[in-house]
Amino acid sequence: MQSDEKLVALVTGANTGVGFQIAKALVEDNYLVYVASRNLDRAKAAAESLGENAIAIELDVTKQDTISKAAEQSLSGYGKLDLLVNNAGISHAGKPGRTMQELSAANRPSTAPIEEMRTVWDTNVFGVVSVTQAFLPLLKKAETARIVNVSSALGSLTLNMNPENPYRSAYDVVYGASKAAMNAITVAFALELENTSIKISAVSPGYTATALNNFEGTDTVEEGSKEPVRVALEKEGVSGLFTGPGQQVYPW
Ligand code: NAP
């Protein structure tokens, strides 16, 4: 099936949490949305609940074969991609259900297990580069396109260096630094793409109650998805910006 009129989006980690809400908002905005999940059954369940404009697709951001296959599938489907949302992310690689306090204690720079760091960075950092590289040819086929990297205020080095920032104690080498690296990658792509029709931004949902933080976040997923959705749908937005809830501009 070919479509010249519909805008096409792909959201990674769209089976639950903030990613699911972003996919839902995009479907409501009349996008055709590839609901990507590392588990095809979870992708199908999410896509079915979103209706006929949602298409389930298997994509594990740490597995190059699934990334390449998803890109081929998208190419043969609509031949272009107007929007890529790099949302998939993990905060740790250990047993589920740990409190944020337990995670923070386990992930201090002096003691964090390197394997845990490697696993988290594989998803949050290398996964973002692999997925973006694979989908760039499709993004280039759209008239104008946008990439939204779902980051975190914890990834702002400038905010972490401010002694008045109450959240900076949560900055660690496993998750926090992975989001700083994601920000660095966003800037690198923004520079390479600055003379093209592809815009790229980093966006923080804010502290949102999801499995990522043992549901300790203070905002709902509806609230958390607002800023990523706003940026995703921006027609005239700028590239290379890092924003958070309420359109707040964060320093890199
Ligand atoms: P979540 O509910 O745990 O959702 C994370 C999603 O990423 C799930 O769909 C998960 O799939 C998927 N995922 C994990 N590893 C993957 C992989 N290797 N390949 C593909 N998908 C993978 O957490 P969330 O809070 O919605 O997180 C979404 C994004 O928001 C993340 O990038 C996170 O860092 C960012 N963020 C969240 C908060 C917050 O307070 N919640 C704050 C700042 C930034 P499974 O269901 O299969 O595990």
Side-chain angles (χ1 to χ4, degrees):
M1 186 176 18
Q2 292 293 321
S3 168
D4 294 329
E5 299 112 43
K6 283 252 187 201
L7 295 174
V8 184
L10 184 142
V11 183
T12 64
N15 55 290
T16 188
V18 172
F20 177 77
Q21 287 301 320
I22 295 172
K24 183 167 182 266
L26 294 174
V27 167
E28 284 165 3
D29 206 74
N30 212 27
Y31 271 75
L32 282 161
V33 181
Y34 282 108
V35 175
S37 169
R38 57 180 159 176
N39 177 296
L40 188 56
D41 287 338
R42 286 202 280 270
K44 281 181 182 166
E48 267 167 34
S49 76
L50 294 177
E52 61 180 19
N53 280 342
I55 304 148
I57 198 163
E58 184 179 351
L59 196 166
D60 184 325
V61 304
T62 65
K63 296 191 177 140
Q64 190 58 49
D65 58 330
T66 70
I67 298 171
S68 305
K69 212 172 136 195
E72 279 164 30
Q73 208 174 319
S74 313
L75 181 65
S76 63
Y78 300 101
K80 62 153 188 173
L81 191 66
D82 301 278
L83 171 66
L84 170 66
V85 183
N86 285 311
N87 164 79
I90 53 174
S91 55
H92 64 91
K95 61 178 168 46
R98 281 189 287 174
T99 65
M100 291 310 285
Q101 208 178 2
E102 285 168 339
L103 275 181
S104 187
N107 292 344
R108 301 314 300 156
S110 51
T111 52
I114 294 298
E115 270 318 306
E116 176 123 0
M117 182 178 173
R118 222 186 283 280
T119 304
V120 170
W121 283 54
D122 213 10
T123 301
N124 296 3
V125 183
F126 303 114
V128 172
V129 179
S130 305
V131 170
T132 306
Q133 287 179 346
F135 284 91
L136 264 177
L138 276 162
L139 291 159
K140 284 180 181 161
K141 287 186 194 291
E143 204 174 305
T144 59
R146 178 170 278 285
I147 303 165
V148 176
N149 287 342
V150 182
S151 184
S152 166
L154 263 188
S156 165
L157 298 178
T158 307
L159 291 181
N160 288 319
M161 288 307 286
N162 179 357
E164 284 170 21
N165 172 7
Y167 304 109
R168 71 182 198 148
S169 59
Y171 182 66
D172 62 28
V173 294
V174 175
Y175 179 74
S178 79
K179 290 300 186 181
M182 181 201 233
N183 288 349
I185 283 160
T186 307
V187 170
F189 273 107
L191 296 182
E192 186 181 341
L193 297 172
E194 71 185 343
N195 294 321
T196 73
S197 57
I198 303 172
K199 290 175 180 153
I200 179 164
S201 329
V203 184
S204 171
Y207 198 32
T208 308
T210 66
L212 187 104
N213 51 36
N214 200 32
F215 298 94
E216 291 176 38
T218 47
D219 295 341
T220 63
V221 284
E222 287 81 5
E223 290 164 331
S225 59
K226 258 189 199 156
E227 181 60 10
V229 169
R230 185 193 69 79
V231 173
L233 297 179
E234 247 182 355
K235 295 281 175 273
E236 300 298 331
V238 292
S239 199
L241 208 60
F242 178 25
T243 62
Q247 303 190 30
Q248 213 181 328
V249 177
Y250 291 140
W252 293 106

